[in-house]
């Protein structure tokens, strides 16, 4: 599979700042977006490896949230394949807003919650992802 220049996921500056803070407290992080209802429809932030991914999950990409002494800090983003079928034509941006988040997501005690903002991929982005085998 060729590499695409099109990113599937992005992060807002506010969410990146929160992720750096959470990483300082909890170590390496990851996101998982399921297709469930209620909290299951929110992007959930976990310590890396705490949520086990498998054949039913799709790796959408890695968020670059800044640098530390070892280099770029990346946070992988996963989604269930069933949910991905609904969202594969979109670009997803992880943002943070005030409010009570999901009980199991690391930001919950901070009085904020992560959310997904989406936009439809442009025709050029979609074609590039198809050409590289991502779609």
């Amino acid at each position: 599979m060729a590499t695409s220049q099109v990113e599937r996921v992005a992060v807002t500056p506010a969410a990146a700042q929160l992720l750096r803070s959470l990483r300082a407290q909890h170590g390496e992080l990851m996101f998982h977006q399921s297709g469930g209802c209620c909290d299951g429809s929110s992007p959930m932030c976990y310590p890396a490896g705490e949520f086990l991914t498998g054949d039913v999950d799709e790796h959408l990409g890695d968020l670059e949230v800044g640098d530390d002494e070892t280099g770029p800090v990346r946070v992988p983003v996963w989604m269930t394949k069933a949910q991905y079928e609904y969202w594969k034509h979109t670009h997803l941006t992880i943002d943070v807003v005030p409010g009570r988040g999901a009980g199991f997501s690391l930001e919950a005690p901070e009085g904020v919650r992560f959310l997904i903002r989406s936009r439809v991929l442009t025709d050029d982005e979609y074609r590039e992802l198809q050409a590289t085998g991502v779609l």
Side-chain angles (χ1 to χ4, degrees):
M1 178 180 343
T3 303
S4 172
Q5 297 299 316
V6 176
E7 294 180 352
R8 298 303 316 265
V9 292
V11 63
T12 64
Q17 180 178 357
L18 178 58
L19 286 166
R20 289 190 300 273
S21 174
L22 291 172
R23 185 174 184 267
Q25 296 173 52
H26 302 282
E28 299 293 323
L29 305 172
M30 66 174 289
F31 272 104
H32 189 270
Q33 171 74 41
S34 75
C37 69
C38 307
D39 285 349
S41 59
S42 298
M44 304 285 282
C45 183
Y46 300 101
E50 186 174 298
F51 185 95
L52 299 179
T53 58
D55 292 342
V56 298
D57 298 296
E58 185 78 30
H59 179 232
L60 300 180
D62 296 328
L63 304 174
E64 292 197 19
V65 300
D67 295 314
D68 67 10
E69 62 280 351
T70 64
V73 174
R74 292 182 176 88
V75 178
V77 179
W78 295 84
M79 178 181 281
T80 61
K81 286 184 178 184
Q83 185 73 0
Y84 176 73
E85 284 302 311
Y86 292 105
W87 293 54
K88 67 183 177 184
H89 65 285
T90 62
H91 177 274
L92 305 176
T93 300
I94 294 182
D95 199 358
V96 63
V97 296
R100 179 88 170 110
F104 296 112
S105 194
L106 290 177
E107 82 282 4
E110 307 296 324
V112 294
R113 65 185 180 92
F114 289 112
L115 64 85
I116 295 272
R117 298 188 188 278
S118 66
R119 67 167 173 81
V120 175
L121 294 167
T122 66
D123 290 343
D124 288 341
E125 289 171 327
Y126 195 84
R127 279 191 292 274
E128 183 177 333
L129 290 170
Q130 282 184 313
T132 57
V134 174
L135 290 176

